[in-house]
Amino acid sequence: ATVNLRALTSWVGIARLFAIVLSCLAFSLVASTGRFGGPYGTWCMFTWCFCFAVTLLVVLGELLELYPLLPLSWDDFTSAFSMLAALMVFTSSVVFPATFISSPCSSNQCARQAVATTASCLCFLAYAVEVALTRAKPGDISSFLSTVPGLLKVFEAYVACLIFSLLDEYNGRPGLMWCVAVYSICFIITLLIIIFTIGRCLTYIPCPLEKMLVGYNFLALLMYLTATILWPLYSFRGRSRPDSCGRDCWWNKHLGVTFLTIFNLIAYLVDLVYSTRMVFV
């Protein structure tokens, strides 16, 4: 193996090094407090550890120039991962302080939690900078997942995962079951597009790929439009917010799904506009 020092000295390499240090700092401080139990704490710890480990492997792969040996599109993989890591760390930077930091924050344990939150926010900025640096500019011939439609595909799949984590009390209601079907179908197809792109399998599809993606985005937009209307209609019609509505209250979960559905609707709309411009303009 040869050593490519540019993997550490380029702006992208520096951003990755910052992400490695900051994610390590975040999970180390939280681990030292011993307070990260429950699904939210477990998710935050998994996020920081996962992003630390994968980013370290990416840096080592480029430093030793081992990535050409892998049977995948390296540029697509790194672009998709940096976008996914930015979304995961951003979510953890919001969820962790909202769940574990209470006011007033005066103890040593709370101070370490606050520093971990700050490190997590800075880690998100490092991944956001990497996404900005590796994003394909207009006119560039680059990997698909580094373009705006490709990055949006990662965003759409991640938001769908957040929706799945909040789904509650939808069985027996046709309108809500249709919405769950919309989330599931669009998630599976979007995930397959990402996996096939990274695995260099899209060339085997016997149809014009760009036009197929435009058609899929249009169909997904229509499906999410129906979910945006039906989910709040069937969730809140004739049902008011309970007086004692805690963190796991069904009303809060359904409200979260409503907003996340709107976010994905906007994402598919922007995706359709960019994909149409790339193909026809």
Side-chain angles (χ1 to χ4, degrees):
T2 59
V3 177
N4 178 20
L5 293 179
R6 183 167 173 77
L8 302 179
T9 58
S10 64
W11 287 113
V12 174
I14 293 172
R16 288 171 178 164
L17 290 177
F18 271 106
I20 290 173
V21 173
L22 292 168
S23 58
C24 180
L25 178 62
F27 74 72
S28 298
L29 287 172
V30 174
S32 68
T33 65
R35 291 193 67 237
F36 53 88
Y40 297 108
T42 303
W43 162 256
C44 294
M45 285 294 286
F46 168 77
T47 294
W48 295 321
C49 294
F50 171 75
C51 294
F52 166 80
V54 177
T55 307
L56 182 61
L57 291 176
V58 168
V59 171
L60 291 176
E62 294 202 348
L63 178 64
L64 301 177
E65 293 190 345
L66 298 175
Y67 62 90
L69 303 176
L70 300 175
L72 52 82
S73 174
W74 183 255
D75 290 337
D76 283 308
F77 170 74
T78 54
S79 297
F81 168 72
S82 60
M83 183 64 177
L84 176 64
L87 294 171
M88 293 176 66
V89 174
F90 175 78
T91 305
S92 298
S93 301
V94 175
V95 170
F96 181 78
T99 306
F100 292 96
I101 298 181
S102 57
S103 181
C105 184
S106 56
S107 64
N108 178 266
Q109 183 184 72
C110 185
R112 281 180 284 175
Q113 291 173 332
V115 174
T117 301
T118 304
S120 182
C121 294
L122 294 175
C123 185
F124 159 71
L125 292 178
Y127 281 117
V129 169
E130 181 183 350
V131 172
L133 291 174
T134 57
R135 184 176 68 84
K137 305 300 185 295
D140 286 354
I141 300 176
S142 185
S143 56
F144 170 69
L145 292 181
S146 64
T147 62
V148 173
L151 296 174
L152 284 172
K153 287 287 181 290
V154 180
F155 177 85
E156 292 154 5
Y158 181 74
V159 172
C161 290
L162 295 180
I163 291 175
F164 293 144
S165 69
L166 295 176
L167 288 179
D168 189 20
E169 296 184 7
Y170 61 86
N171 287 328
R173 301 181 186 179
L176 297 185
M177 293 179 69
W178 162 253
C179 295
V180 174
V182 169
Y183 305 143
S184 302
I185 294 171
C186 293
F187 169 75
I188 292 173
I189 296 177
T190 301
L191 184 62
L192 288 176
I193 292 173
I194 295 172
I195 293 175
F196 286 173
T197 302
I198 294 176
R200 299 174 179 172
C201 299
L202 291 178
T203 54
Y204 299 107
I205 297 178
C207 59
L209 176 63
E210 296 82 2
K211 294 182 179 179
M212 184 194 71
L213 290 178
V214 172
Y216 164 66
N217 290 332
F218 180 72
L219 179 61
L221 178 65
L222 293 180
M223 295 174 68
Y224 259 90
L225 182 60
T226 62
T228 304
I229 298 172
L230 293 178
W231 181 267
L233 179 64
Y234 278 85
S235 294
F236 304 115
R237 184 175 59 182
R239 308 175 72 190
S240 59
R241 188 176 189 271
D243 295 331
S244 57
C245 193
R247 184 182 303 153
D248 294 326
C249 176
W250 68 266
W251 198 93
N252 289 340
K253 290 182 177 181
H254 282 226
L255 183 64
V257 172
T258 300
F259 280 104
L260 291 173
T261 302
I262 295 173
F263 292 159
N264 247 2
L265 175 68
I266 297 173
Y268 277 109
L269 175 61
V270 177
D271 195 353
L272 176 63
V273 171
Y274 268 91
S275 299
T276 304
R277 288 181 57 190
M278 289 176 62
V279 174
F280 299 105
V281 179

